[in-house]
């Protein structure tokens, strides 16, 4: 079986119906953004199929798996964040994906990272704006993503931080740093 088909099948097995349709939406959106902005479409699709593969694992299982790998600093403080690095680890070990850009995009798809590459931004944004997403700024982020990935990133990060404040959820410090980086980028442009 082709790698993409295998990943799609395994995502369907691992995920609830709703989350699987989220992932299908991310695949479509990532491919569209990739072709528009000159990013490799196959990489975008593979990263999208992989990104939430461990999203529904129980916290204890995520934490156990994370112990075997090099998790980015601080991720352990908010266990859900581990689903990115753990999915990247599955990509490397189970699916033999050696492409560092794909693994990086998957690792940081929830938090963002400093100096994000094109594929990082494509996956982060596709995850935020896939057709099933509903939140106040989503239409504006969708429109911006067709023009400028950086402008779309700033609005996506601002909107995510606002949401986390509103629902009293923890904010990961790296995400604030990433947001500041885009603020500077967009203001300079
Ligand atoms: Fe995720
Ligand atoms: Fe996702």
């Amino acid at each position: 079986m082709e790698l993409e088909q295998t990943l799609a099948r395994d995502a369907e097995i691992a995920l609830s119906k709703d989350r699987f349709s989220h992932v299908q939406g991310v695949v479509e959106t990532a491919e569209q953004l990739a072709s528009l902005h000159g990013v490799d479409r196959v990489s975008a699709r593979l990263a999208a199929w992989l990104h939430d593969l461990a999203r529904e694992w129980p916290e204890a299982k995520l934490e156990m798996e994370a112990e075997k790998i090099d998790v980015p600093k601080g991720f352990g403080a908010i266990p859900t964040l581990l689903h990115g690095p753990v999915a990247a680890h599955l990509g490397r070990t189970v699916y033999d994906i050696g492409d560092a850009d794909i693994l990086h995009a998957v690792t940081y798809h929830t938090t963002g990272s400093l100096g994000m590459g094109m594929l990082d931004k494509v996956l982060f944004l596709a995850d935020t704006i896939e057709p099933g997403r509903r939140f106040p700024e989503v239409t504006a982020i969708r429109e911006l993503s067709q023009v400028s990935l950086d402008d779309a990133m700033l609005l996506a990060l601002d909107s995510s931080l606002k949401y986390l404040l509103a629902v009293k959820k923890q904010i990961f410090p790296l995400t604030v740093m990433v947001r500041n980086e885009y603020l500077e980028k967009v203001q300079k442009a």
Side-chain angles (χ1 to χ4, degrees), residues 107-119:
T107 299
Y108 291 99
H109 79 265
T110 317
T111 58
S113 59
L114 294 170
M116 286 168 89
M118 292 295 276
L119 185 62

Side-chain angles (χ1 to χ4, degrees), residues 29-160:
T29 307
E31 178 166 24
Q32 192 272 330
L33 290 176
S35 52
L36 182 65
H37 296 284
V39 177
D40 184 65
R41 285 157 58 186
V42 177
S43 299
R45 291 179 64 92
L46 291 177
W49 281 122
L50 182 62
H51 84 286
D52 271 347
L53 206 58
R55 182 64 182 82
E56 294 178 1
W57 285 21
E59 260 179 33
K61 187 177 172 190
L62 273 178
E63 281 168 341
M64 239 168 64
E65 196 69 18
E67 273 175 28
K68 301 182 199 160
I69 54 178
D70 239 350
V71 166
K73 207 171 150 255
F75 270 42
I78 306 177
T80 335
L81 297 184
L82 295 173
H83 80 273
V86 167
H89 174 67
L90 295 175
R92 203 168 25 235
T93 55
V94 179
Y95 302 98
D96 211 17
I97 297 174
D99 185 319
D101 291 344
I102 296 180
L103 300 176
H104 190 272
V106 169
T107 299
Y108 291 99
H109 79 265
T110 317
T111 58
S113 59
L114 294 170
M116 286 168 89
M118 292 295 276
L119 185 62
D120 293 325
K121 296 180 209 182
V122 162
L123 181 62
F124 187 96
L125 286 169
D127 195 26
T128 306
I129 61 171
E130 57 90 5
R133 294 289 200 196
R134 306 264 181 276
F135 58 94
E137 293 93 348
V138 73
T139 309
I141 303 170
R142 281 185 187 126
E143 286 169 9
L144 279 177
S145 73
Q146 302 301 298
V147 185
S148 157
L149 292 181
D150 288 348
D151 289 357
M153 281 299 304
L154 179 61
L155 188 55
L157 287 157
D158 276 354
S159 133
S160 150

